[in-house]
Amino acid sequence: MSNNQCGDVGMVALAEALSRCTELGNLKFSNNRVGATGFAAVAEALPRWPKLEWLFVSSNPGPADAFVLALIKALEAGVA
């Protein structure tokens, strides 16, 4: 999913589409112009991905505070 410049709109759509994918193990959306809105959508979906082991998000203008807080919570719960 990297390097396609999907932006926030694309990331929101992707997070929604993957929200029921409980087997998701890796997600990479580096270099996609994803900002606060896109990161917030990923943050909302994080608890639904209990098998997520790798999350690559470099070279985006985000993340949103909501994403960082959700990631911390997921790590503490052993989800991510």
Side-chain angles (χ1 to χ4, degrees):
M1 186 59 203
S2 293
N3 301 311
N4 66 26
Q5 307 303 310
C6 71
D8 284 333
V9 172
M11 197 68 241
V12 169
L14 181 65
E16 183 178 317
L18 293 175
S19 68
R20 294 187 180 148
C21 185
T22 58
E23 298 297 314
L24 184 68
N26 299 297
L27 179 59
K28 183 175 181 181
F29 61 92
S30 301
N31 194 31
N32 275 303
R33 298 182 321 184
V34 177
T37 303
F39 273 92
V42 172
E44 186 177 322
L46 262 176
R48 298 184 197 122
W49 300 327
K51 295 187 178 186
L52 188 68
E53 293 184 12
W54 296 98
L55 182 63
F56 299 94
V57 300
S58 64
S59 300
N60 286 294
D65 291 345
F67 173 76
V68 176
L69 294 173
L71 185 56
I72 291 168
K73 186 176 180 180
L75 288 169
E76 289 174 344
V79 173

